[in-house]
Amino acid sequence: STFEITVAFSPTVVVLGGAGKIGTAAATHLLRRVPEAEIILVGRRENGGKGATEEVLKSCPNGKISYTNVETVWRRSTKLVDIINNADCVIHTAGPYLDQDPIPLELAIESQRCKAYVDVSDPLPFLEKSLLLDLEAKASNTTALLAAGAFPGMSNVLAVEAASKLKGPVNDIRFNYFTAGLGGSGVLNLYITNLGFGEPMVQYEEGKLRFFKELSGLLLGRVDFFLPNNNNKDNELAKERVGSQTVFAWPFPEAATVAKVLKARGNTYAAMGTAPEIWNDMLGLLVNVVPRPWWQNKKFSKFMADFSEPLVLATDLFLKSTGTGERHAMRVDVTEINESDGGVSIVQAHDSFRQCVGQSCAEFAIDILLQKNSDDAGVYLPEQRYSDDTKRRHIIEKLTSTPGTFCYTGAVSLQEESSP
């Protein structure tokens, strides 16, 4: 994979959650792409920045990077206001976002200087609160992109691209994801996954938005993370390195938000799987045994994440020793009303989930920072901002050419295939 270095461009970018695995991945990619950028990592712990800055500087030894701490990004404080007021862009990776208000977005909109905001949020209530700030963002000439990671994020854009190749109206949309272990994203990702087991699946059924309270965590079957009868080199790599994987339902918002934008008339779902296979079986068993309200309890979900951490980290080390590492893949399938015409599918795969999320987040931020049209101001989901063919294909080119990407099939027409 190759990527463009942008010169004569020196934004100041604040990365909230900057001491985390996703934050450092975003910062690293930003400095690789925009060497003159100044990066300010923001974390909770006063002494948490040494390891984070060293990690970024290892890849970007000449990078301008610093660290500062704030107690929380979910409450207005003089320090947080000052940090955002002195930035051109805010990248917010400090999840989980569940049950929170979009304080960093509000501060970015209120800032005289900051004109770009990107986050990797996924709970629908948080997205809905953020989208209500659209008029304020337009008035302040601020462009904000929500849910702008790998999935959701890139996956949303790929679904719109697949739909653009159909001959008729959209019927079904299927989002399937795979991440080996925690994908290098740290135990926080396990905590977020646990919280999701307590949330309802929000998706379309026969063209209508439905809430399924008992579906999250349900094992759905196996999915091919490659395309059939396709000899494309990238596709063959995905078949060899990822293959078929078990997936379980999880409340990703794109099953609802993308379906709304594309006016899906059939069914949608989003699902994910992990490796080794025993983790899927264990999670499926836990979801069946533990009452849903318990997963909604943050203390319980955090306890389960902390309790599992040693075993999960050992699993990640095992996966690394086998060469599987932090591997990630996604498959997006969009069908049309006339089933005889089949549908369009896209597969993307990367060596590292956390790098892919960070890189995607950084590419979305760079795309906003380089915009020259004030008409772009507002608060958007990826499927809204990139509905235009030219703009969408430009960002797809950037997202799918990042270091570590080993598969991007592009949009491929297929005969109708059954879902898991």
Side-chain angles (χ1 to χ4, degrees):
S1 301
T2 59
F3 61 96
E4 175 187 358
I5 295 177
T6 304
V7 296
F9 177 49
S10 54
T12 297
V13 180
V14 165
V15 181
L16 306 179
K21 298 295 187 180
I22 303 300
T24 53
T28 300
H29 191 70
L30 266 166
L31 284 173
R32 284 173 170 169
R33 284 272 277 116
V34 189
E36 296 303 312
E38 179 183 355
I39 308 295
I40 302 171
L41 302 178
V42 179
R44 289 176 310 199
R45 296 185 301 274
E46 189 172 346
N47 60 350
K50 187 174 185 292
T53 53
E54 286 178 351
E55 179 183 334
V56 177
L57 288 172
K58 185 176 180 180
S59 299
C60 309
N62 298 318
K64 289 179 282 187
I65 186 164
S66 61
Y67 175 86
T68 189
N69 72 295
V70 294
E71 184 178 344
T72 177
V73 300
W74 299 116
R75 186 174 65 246
R76 287 173 177 263
S77 66
T78 301
K79 188 172 184 179
L80 182 61
V81 170
D82 288 344
I83 291 169
I84 292 178
N85 280 344
N86 288 288
D88 299 300
C89 173
V90 172
I91 293 180
H92 181 8
T93 68
Y97 302 79
L98 190 65
D99 298 329
Q100 302 290 358
D101 293 322
I103 301 299
L105 174 56
E106 292 176 357
L107 295 179
I109 291 171
E110 293 166 10
S111 168
Q112 293 297 311
R113 178 175 173 180
C114 186
K115 298 303 174 188
Y117 168 95
V118 172
D119 70 30
V120 291
S121 58
D122 51 29
L124 271 173
F126 183 87
L127 297 178
E128 289 166 351
K129 290 178 187 177
S130 299
L131 288 167
L132 291 175
L133 298 171
D134 180 64
L135 291 179
E136 289 91 333
K138 283 180 166 60
S140 69
N141 195 26
T142 303
T143 302
L145 188 64
L146 314 172
F151 53 85
M154 186 199 311
S155 59
N156 304 41
V157 180
L158 296 185
V160 178
E161 177 66 9
S164 73
K165 303 296 185 182
L166 297 178
K167 298 175 183 177
V170 172
N171 192 42
D172 297 338
I173 308 172
R174 301 190 288 268
F175 295 96
N176 287 294
Y177 309 129
F178 166 76
T179 301
L182 289 177
S185 60
V187 72
L188 176 64
N189 197 41
L190 182 58
Y191 174 37
I192 292 171
T193 300
N194 289 347
L195 289 172
F197 292 144
E199 296 300 305
M201 292 288 293
V202 185
Q203 56 193 55
Y204 273 52
E205 184 179 57
E206 297 181 355
K208 296 181 180 179
L209 188 65
R210 295 281 305 276
F211 291 74
F212 296 91
K213 293 183 178 180
E214 302 298 325
L215 186 54
S216 298
L218 181 69
L219 292 174
L220 300 180
R222 293 181 72 80
V223 169
D224 293 338
F225 285 92
F226 58 90
L227 304 180
N229 306 315
N230 186 302
N231 296 322
N232 175 281
K233 180 182 176 182
D234 282 12
N235 188 62
E236 289 298 311
L237 280 173
K239 185 176 183 179
E240 175 188 339
R241 298 184 64 188
V242 183
S244 302
Q245 300 290 340
T246 299
V247 297
F248 54 84
W250 201 84
F252 292 101
E254 53 269 40
T257 64
V258 173
K260 180 179 179 180
V261 168
L262 295 181
K263 300 178 181 178
R265 301 185 184 184
N267 303 324
T268 68
Y269 78 80
M272 65 181 292
T274 188
E277 181 71 16
I278 191 172
W279 276 110
N280 295 309
D281 296 333
M282 288 174 59
L283 288 171
L285 178 63
L286 282 171
V287 169
N288 284 331
V289 171
V290 177
R292 298 282 169 175
W294 289 26
W295 295 111
Q296 291 175 322
N297 184 297
K298 291 185 177 181
K299 289 183 178 179
F300 174 79
S301 283
K302 183 68 165 60
F303 166 78
M304 290 296 290
D306 291 341
F307 178 78
S308 305
E309 182 177 8
L311 183 57
V312 171
L313 293 178
T315 301
D316 281 357
L317 286 174
F318 168 75
L319 290 170
K320 187 175 182 180
S321 71
T322 63
T324 303
E326 305 170 358
R327 200 167 298 162
H328 134 93
M330 68 174 79
R331 175 170 175 167
V332 179
D333 301 281
V334 182
T335 69
E336 59 184 283
I337 294 296
N338 186 350
E339 292 187 3
S340 63
D341 290 337
V344 174
S345 300
I346 298 176
V347 173
Q348 179 269 351
H350 195 287
D351 288 331
S352 168
F353 167 70
R354 71 122 172 174
Q355 293 292 343
C356 187
V357 176
Q359 292 167 350
S360 299
C361 198
E363 287 295 344
F364 283 125
I366 293 168
D367 187 61
I368 293 173
L369 283 165
L370 290 175
Q371 71 182 353
K372 296 180 174 63
N373 188 349
S374 61
D375 291 341
D376 280 345
V379 182
Y380 301 95
L381 294 168
E383 59 269 29
Q384 296 170 328
R385 177 168 166 77
Y386 297 101
S387 59
D388 173 77
D389 288 351
T390 301
K391 185 182 289 188
R392 182 176 65 256
R393 283 158 195 168
H394 171 78
I395 194 64
I396 287 175
E397 179 186 358
K398 301 299 183 185
L399 294 171
T400 58
S401 60
T402 55
T405 300
F406 64 85
C407 173
Y408 176 62
T409 62
V412 179
S413 296
L414 300 176
Q415 291 299 313
E416 183 73 11
E417 289 191 324
S418 59
S419 59

